[in-house]
Amino acid sequence: MGGDTVSLLIPLYVHPAQDPGAWHRLITAAARTYAVVLNPASGPGAAPDPAYTAAARALRTAGARLLGYVDTDYGTRDRAAITEDVRRHRLWYRTDGCFLDRVTATAEGLPDCRRLVRELRRLGTGSVVLNPGVHPAPGYARLADLTVTFEGHWSTYVSAFTRPSWAARQPPARICHLVYGVPAALVPLAVRTARERGAGVCGPVTGEGPNPWAGLSPALEFSDGVRG
């Protein structure tokens, strides 16, 4: 990845039957994404969802990398439950890897996170994305293919973002910033800001809480400085 481009990580947390238009637009732009996070039911759910199966198939055909959403509950969730979620995502939706959400960020939590990632790798998991949502203690970024070091509102991103020295030394392709509440007109600025702050992957959306990821990133609609 060049220094003047970023890729887009797309968490789209809305059911395909609820907003088929968004999923269609995502499929047509799949080649311009870093990856798409599938999240049928705060995880894979209890059984395959035919709508997600169809969407996943179309995204794969269009060239997207698929990541299954898995909640780690900041290290309190049983490891067997986490690995089972990853297995279900791979079996039902043929995901390429996993998006581990609510990951611990402390030095004390690093050994358990390391054991989890090693186990997932042994089980055949491809891409592993960690989302502590903040800059974690040094060491976490070495475990994953991509680490989300910021998840938060645009107002916080522009006024209170800081970057520790270890993060400044990371390859941009391994750092991601997920920013919500971005005014539509400022989405291109959000992409440039992520690039300037060392994130080679980003996901700016205009949505607000409680689920800002229910809509697509407008960044999919422009090409300057963005690529898959």
Side-chain angles (χ1 to χ4, degrees):
M1 178 181 299
D4 59 346
T5 59
V6 297
S7 293
L8 296 174
L9 179 64
I10 308 294
L12 183 55
Y13 299 163
V14 63
H15 195 276
Q18 183 178 347
D19 192 349
W23 284 90
H24 176 73
R25 292 193 302 274
L26 177 56
I27 291 163
T28 60
R32 298 178 52 211
T33 66
Y34 170 88
V36 175
V37 182
L38 297 181
N39 187 11
S42 296
D49 184 320
Y52 272 96
T53 301
R57 183 186 306 114
L59 284 165
R60 282 196 310 275
T61 300
R65 175 192 287 132
L66 303 181
L67 304 174
Y69 176 94
V70 179
D71 185 12
T72 72
D73 199 11
Y74 301 109
T76 65
R77 192 163 179 236
D78 183 72
R79 193 188 309 169
I82 294 172
T83 57
E84 176 61 15
D85 274 1
V86 174
R87 187 193 71 83
R88 290 182 179 186
H89 274 299
R90 188 167 62 234
L91 177 64
W92 296 343
Y93 307 113
R94 293 180 56 192
T95 50
D96 304 289
C98 59
F99 179 88
L100 300 181
D101 197 22
R102 299 203 299 170
V103 172
T104 56
T106 64
E108 293 77 14
L110 180 58
D112 282 344
C113 188
R114 181 183 295 114
R115 283 189 287 270
L116 171 61
V117 173
R118 286 177 176 172
E119 182 172 353
L120 293 175
R121 300 284 197 194
R122 285 195 300 268
L123 294 174
T125 304
S127 300
V128 174
V129 177
L130 300 180
N131 182 24
V134 297
H135 284 99
Y140 281 87
R142 290 194 295 271
L143 305 179
D145 299 278
L146 185 71
T147 302
V148 180
T149 59
F150 180 90
E151 180 180 356
H153 198 275
W154 170 249
S155 60
T156 303
Y157 194 53
V158 297
S159 66
F161 178 89
T162 58
R163 181 167 53 152
S165 58
W166 72 260
R169 295 190 295 268
Q170 295 297 308
R174 300 187 64 180
I175 299 296
C176 176
H177 294 165
L178 295 177
V179 187
Y180 56 85
V182 183
L186 298 184
V187 169
L189 174 61
V191 172
R192 292 196 300 271
T193 301
R195 181 174 61 219
E196 292 164 358
R197 292 175 172 181
V201 183
C202 68
V205 296
T206 58
E208 302 276 358
N211 178 17
W213 314 110
L216 278 180
S217 171
L220 281 171
E221 299 174 6
F222 63 85
S223 58
D224 182 29
V226 180
R227 72 179 185 188

